[in-house]
């Protein structure tokens, strides 16, 4: 999960933008792992969400968990817009 992406960033290329914070993913490592549903299982849904805020940053430590960053009270009252993409994957 990445947060505090500067408003001037218009394209995400894979590298963490300058000024942004790349926190740990659900495994505790930093970085995107991609979908990996169990072989033979039904299609899994993966939701990618972007939230635009009216503040420059959340003020969270880089060690904050995805749950803390997602539901941070720092976002409360500051959300300007959201966008969501749901992808499916199966093996």
């Amino acid at each position: 999960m990445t947060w505090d992406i500067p408003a001037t960033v218009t394209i995400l290329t894979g590298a963490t933008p300058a000024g942004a914070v790349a926190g740990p993913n659900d495994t505790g490592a930093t970085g995107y792992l991609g979908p990996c549903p169990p072989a033979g299982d039904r299609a899994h849904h993966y939701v990618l969400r972007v939230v635009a805020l009216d503040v420059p940053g959340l003020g969270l430590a880089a060690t904050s968990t995805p749950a803390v960053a997602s539901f941070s009270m720092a976002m409360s009252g500051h959300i300007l817009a959201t966008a969501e993409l749901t992808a499916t994957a199966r093996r």
Side-chain angles (χ1 to χ4, degrees):
M1 175 169 224
T2 302
W3 59 89
D4 293 353
I5 299 170
T8 55
V9 173
T10 59
I11 296 174
L12 297 173
T13 62
T16 303
V21 178
N25 57 38
D26 288 332
T27 68
T30 301
Y32 178 69
L33 299 176
C36 190
D41 203 3
R42 62 175 171 67
H44 286 219
H45 293 79
Y46 298 88
V47 179
L48 303 169
R49 181 177 296 121
V50 177
V51 180
L53 305 175
D54 64 357
V55 294
L58 295 177
L60 297 174
T63 55
S64 297
T65 64
V68 168
S70 294
F71 300 105
S72 171
M73 289 305 293
M75 285 197 290
S76 180
H78 295 287
I79 297 174
L80 296 174
T82 62
E84 202 170 270
L85 171 71
T86 302
T88 57
R90 70 181 304 167
R91 293 192 303 163

